[in-house]
Amino acid sequence: MIFGRRLVVRPQNARAQMELTSGMLSRDENQRAIADSVEFLREAGLTDVLVAYGFGCDCPDEQLYQDVSMPLDRLMPFIAEAEAADYYRVSRDNLHVKDPAGRIEFLFCHESDIHFICDTAELVERLKAKWLAAGFCKVLVHAGAKWPVDR
């Protein structure tokens, strides 16, 4: 058991989106998980993403919550440049990354965790398996009105 970490899967809305949450990660784990997320998006067939600074970011106001389109290969350098400029800080601010169709989204969260929102159960299960194998989290499953149930 990994103390203080949990992996939550829950339906998101009427579009049948699901959300997977990593649980709290150290800065090093968070950086590794972000790099793994880029590879995961590549494996899912994405070549371009939309990126937006969110809560906590110290970017210029006109850049806050504005989607910026970029090749997926540009995401890691973008994050490094944003940290160097002090616009975004891994595990302290929100950075939103999604596919242009809006079917897959990662939220690199200010609460030191990562949220994955997707409408494809197979992708959610694939990422859950990767995160568990990496030791990022403990799985908790929503069971009716009670939660959490250990798995």
Side-chain angles (χ1 to χ4, degrees):
M1 178 173 153
I2 300 172
F3 182 77
R5 298 186 186 178
R6 63 183 181 186
L7 184 66
V8 177
V9 181
R10 64 177 173 243
Q12 197 59 5
N13 60 30
R15 274 184 43 190
Q17 287 190 322
M18 293 163 277
E19 181 176 349
L20 185 66
T21 305
S22 69
M24 290 186 66
L25 303 172
S26 70
R27 179 174 165 76
D28 289 341
E29 289 172 324
N30 217 310
Q31 289 177 313
R32 193 173 83 220
I34 290 171
D36 290 348
S37 298
V38 171
E39 186 56 34
F40 181 82
L41 291 171
R42 189 179 336 282
E43 290 170 1
L46 295 181
T47 56
D48 296 294
V49 291
L50 300 175
V51 182
Y53 293 116
F55 178 82
C57 290
D58 289 325
C59 63
D61 289 345
E62 64 274 7
Q63 293 180 22
L64 197 59
Y65 296 106
Q66 298 300 310
D67 287 336
V68 175
S69 180
M70 69 182 64
L72 181 59
D73 291 338
R74 180 81 186 99
L75 181 57
M76 293 304 292
F78 175 87
I79 291 172
E81 292 162 10
E83 281 204 297
D86 208 29
Y87 288 179
Y88 166 72
R89 292 158 298 270
V90 170
S91 68
R92 291 181 42 211
D93 303 322
N94 284 357
L95 189 71
H96 302 264
V97 177
K98 62 184 175 184
D99 76 301
R103 296 183 53 179
I104 298 172
E105 179 176 357
F106 279 97
L107 169 60
F108 304 126
C109 187
H110 71 281
E111 294 178 325
S112 297
D113 63 351
I114 297 176
H115 302 254
F116 176 66
I117 301 164
C118 181
D119 62 2
T120 307
E122 186 269 329
L123 289 176
V124 171
E125 290 301 317
R126 189 184 322 164
L127 184 61
K128 182 171 75 172
K130 284 180 180 270
W131 281 355
L132 287 170
F136 290 155
C137 41
K138 176 183 178 215
V139 178
L140 298 174
V141 179
H142 183 286
K146 297 181 181 178
W147 102 305
V149 176
D150 289 338
R151 275 282 164 111

